[in-house]
């Protein structure tokens, strides 16, 4: 693991929440995009051309191409492995990679090929339990995830896990920050996606 001295003096991270769409079964039982009440929700990629459903009770996700009329066509493969209870999807600023945070601590990493998520090797890195969706700096050189402290357990404090993003899309953990005091409010807001950006300067968090 690299030392904190390899990091820039100040890093600013931004969230990139994805559009959520609702789906229902259309003609031929094909899923269709709808704007009213649907049967289930999916997230799209930033372009809005592809849709993804995280199966949070299992260990995989489904992916489709969205046609002009709103019909969803399964990508190949249609079902992609994730880890236990995948609960958030984020795309790298370059649009070449995607990352899924899972409740037991894995962050799965994928290359994107014509909208399809293809697992990288290694397929995941680990944080603590229930990492937040990934946040990236503007250039996409660094990513971070926030994990909540466990009352009476380990870790007792919130943590920020900072990763270097390699050209291959692979995440390398290079630093962890223990969050204390006033910074805890910022980490909680980041975890709950109630702020759009925050700054890390040394060992401190700021807005």
């Amino acid at each position: 693991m690299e030392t904190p001295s390899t990091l820039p003096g100040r890093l600013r991270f931004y969230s990139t929440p994805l559009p959520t769409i609702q789906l229902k079964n259309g003609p031929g039982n094909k899923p269709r995009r709808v704007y009213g009440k649907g049967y289930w929700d999916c997230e799209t990629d930033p372009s809005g051309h592809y849709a993804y459903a995280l199966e949070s009770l299992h260990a995989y996700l489904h992916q489709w191409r969205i046609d002009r009329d709103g019909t969803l066509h399964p990508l190949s493969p249609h079902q992609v492995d994730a880890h236990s209870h995948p609960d958030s999807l984020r795309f790298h600023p370059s649009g070449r990679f995607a990352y899924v945070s899972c409740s037991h601590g894995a962050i799965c990493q994928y290359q994107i090929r014509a909208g399809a998520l293809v697992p990288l090797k290694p397929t995941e890195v680990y944080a603590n339990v229930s990492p937040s969706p990934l946040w990236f700096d503007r250039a996409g050189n660094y990513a971070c995830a926030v994990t909540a402290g466990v009352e009476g357990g380990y870790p007792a404090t919130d943590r920020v896990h900072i990763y270097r993003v390699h050209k291959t899309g692979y995440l390398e953990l290079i630093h962890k920050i223990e969050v204390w005091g006033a910074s805890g409010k910022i980490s909680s807001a980041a975890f709950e996606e109630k702020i759009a950006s925050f700054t890390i300067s040394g060992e401190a968090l700021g807005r």
Side-chain angles (χ1 to χ4, degrees), residues 52 54 60-61 81-91 98-103 105-110 117 123-125 131-134 171:
Y52 308 88
L54 302 179
Y60 53 85
L61 59 92
D81 289 340
H83 272 257
S84 179
H85 308 299
D87 57 20
S88 67
L89 170 65
R90 287 295 181 267
F91 288 84
Y99 304 89
V100 172
S101 298
C102 303
S103 66
I107 300 174
C108 299
Q109 41 195 14
Y110 306 87
L117 306 189
T123 57
E124 74 283 320
V125 294
S132 70
L134 281 187
L171 301 177

Side-chain angles (χ1 to χ4, degrees), residues 127-168:
N128 293 119
V129 173
S130 297
S132 70
L134 281 187
W135 294 51
F136 297 94
D137 69 327
R138 290 284 192 205
N141 295 325
Y142 296 95
C144 75
V146 180
T147 59
V150 180
E151 186 175 353
Y154 179 83
T157 65
D158 292 1
R159 288 180 171 179
V160 177
H161 304 251
I162 303 175
Y163 302 88
R164 188 183 307 281
V165 184
H166 288 259
K167 292 182 179 179
T168 59

